[in-house]
Amino acid sequence: MTESSYPRDLRGYGRNPPDPKWPGGARVAVQFVVNFEEGGENNILHGDQASEAFLSDVLGAQPWPGKRHANIESMFEYGSRAGFWRLWRMFSERKLKTTVFGVATALMRNPEVVAAMQEAGWDIASHSLKWIEHKDMSEAEERREIAEAIRVHTEATGHRPRGWYTGRSSSNTIRLLMEAGGFLYLCDSYADDLPYWIKGPSAPQLIIPYTLDANDMRFVNAQGFGGGDQFFTYLKDSFDVLYAEGATSPKMMSVGLHCRLVGRPGRAAALMRFLDYVQMHDRVWVPTRLEIAEHWHENLAHLATGAPSIG
């Protein structure tokens, strides 16, 4: 393999990132994602081989082949029954919008939640068909999953998804999504503090990176947040650094949320403090990912020239 064919971009924007020209001269765009996975997780009821074992308060959980896990199921149910509504009220009362990473089968199973997302003006991106691992899927199988996710998402929401984040992805995911086409933005990257273009099969594709560090998943990961104060401090420190940098080089901050995790009262308190902290500052834009994508397509399309091939 030659350096010219190396399938990664390690340079990015380099020393001088572009000015994203955020609306209102914002120094930072703070973007919140609510992951809606409840009802789309691994479960033999869904035709999967084992129970879910990822991102729950059953620490150290392992998949149970051929069996249901009642405790984990009920924790996911908390997310859709109670946690979602707490987050929905929290953002709605502050007139802030989020992007939803919505698992298609989870959205299909909860039309009341979908209606509330749409009432609030939230951007509903696809989080694949089911919240399962894709790393061992063949290309043909993952291609079918993508097509079915688009179909189910469209049926559940009334609109084809314009954004996508798989999360539990494969090395083929981004290429297969570009092959499917029709996405204003893709999010299976953690590579930058700004959106960026890559070369697609027919046109450049916009990537809006996500985050796993400013993310409530660290409440249930080893060496993660031990309590709400740690979560708030980490979010505040991230914001403060980006806000200071934004005086000369504006950036984007992503915050990842899950209904069954930060939707719990003791964790929600820290998120509320952070939302209020953000709103204490001027020159801050709190957009959906779709709004970021539309802004980037309209104002920074010139950066797509010479976009690298990735993957």
Side-chain angles (χ1 to χ4, degrees):
M1 179 183 294
T2 65
E3 283 301 306
S4 61
S5 65
Y6 187 60
R8 298 170 64 199
D9 178 12
L10 299 177
R11 181 179 181 276
Y13 290 122
R15 181 177 295 187
N16 299 302
D19 182 353
K21 305 182 188 302
W22 297 136
R27 294 170 64 160
V28 61
V30 183
Q31 203 290 301
F32 295 91
V33 168
V34 172
N35 290 270
F36 191 74
E37 299 155 345
E38 290 79 4
E41 77 279 11
N42 281 287
N43 194 312
I44 62 171
L45 296 176
H46 306 159
D48 302 310
Q49 298 300 308
S51 60
E52 186 56 70
F54 189 46
L55 292 193
S56 82
D57 279 298
V58 180
L59 300 184
Q62 296 296 316
W64 290 0
K67 295 181 180 180
R68 295 172 61 186
H69 195 311
N71 289 348
I72 287 182
E73 285 187 21
S74 67
M75 289 175 183
F76 273 77
E77 289 158 14
Y78 183 92
S80 59
R81 291 164 56 114
F84 168 80
W85 297 107
R86 181 166 288 115
L87 296 179
W88 182 81
R89 288 190 296 270
M90 189 185 306
F91 281 93
S92 297
E93 288 166 1
R94 290 166 176 79
K95 296 180 171 55
L96 297 174
K97 291 187 289 187
T98 82
T99 285
V100 176
F101 287 165
V103 174
T105 49
L107 296 172
M108 178 186 67
R109 291 187 169 103
N110 211 320
E112 185 180 1
V113 160
V114 171
M117 295 170 180
Q118 294 175 327
E119 177 187 330
W122 294 3
D123 160 35
I124 308 177
S126 179
H127 198 4
S128 198
L129 179 66
K130 298 195 294 183
W131 194 59
I132 60 176
E133 293 288 355
H134 291 69
K135 63 183 177 62
D136 296 321
M137 289 185 184
S138 67
E139 287 193 30
E141 184 180 2
E142 188 171 7
R143 189 177 287 112
R144 288 192 297 270
E145 288 270 318
I146 290 169
E148 182 65 1
I150 294 170
R151 185 192 70 78
V152 174
H153 182 107
T154 303
E155 181 178 335
T157 68
H159 303 281
R160 187 191 192 279
R162 302 184 70 188
W164 186 287
Y165 174 72
T166 297
R168 301 167 83 166
S169 58
S170 78
S171 59
N172 300 313
T173 297
I174 289 180
R175 177 170 54 81
L176 293 175
L177 289 167
M178 291 193 297
E179 177 188 292
F183 295 105
L184 209 60
Y185 66 92
L186 303 178
C187 304
D188 279 291
S189 169
Y190 314 93
D192 213 294
D193 294 316
L194 286 172
Y196 59 90
W197 299 97
I198 63 173
K199 184 177 181 180
S202 57
Q205 175 66 59
L206 183 66
I207 305 293
I208 303 182
Y210 185 46
T211 178
L212 297 183
D213 65 304
N215 192 307
D216 66 358
M217 67 183 287
R218 293 176 60 82
F219 278 115
V220 294
N221 281 1
Q223 297 180 327
F225 303 126
D229 287 346
Q230 292 180 352
F231 184 46
F232 171 76
T233 298
Y234 193 86
L235 295 181
K236 178 181 178 297
D237 287 350
S238 300
F239 175 86
D240 287 347
V241 168
L242 292 170
Y243 191 80
E245 289 181 356
T248 57
S249 183
K251 301 292 196 315
M252 177 185 77
M253 177 181 176
S254 295
V255 181
L257 308 170
H258 297 77
C259 302
R260 64 191 176 279
L261 300 181
V262 79
R264 294 280 179 177
R267 297 165 181 162
L271 177 59
M272 286 189 275
R273 289 202 300 275
F274 181 66
L275 295 179
D276 293 340
Y277 182 74
V278 168
Q279 291 194 297
M280 289 168 55
H281 293 73
D282 59 6
R283 295 181 63 187
V284 176
W285 185 36
V286 184
T288 66
R289 286 184 169 242
L290 181 58
E291 289 172 329
I292 289 175
E294 290 171 338
H295 174 83
W296 211 264
H297 278 264
E298 182 176 347
N299 296 281
L300 293 106
H302 62 280
L303 297 177
T305 303
S309 298
I310 303 294

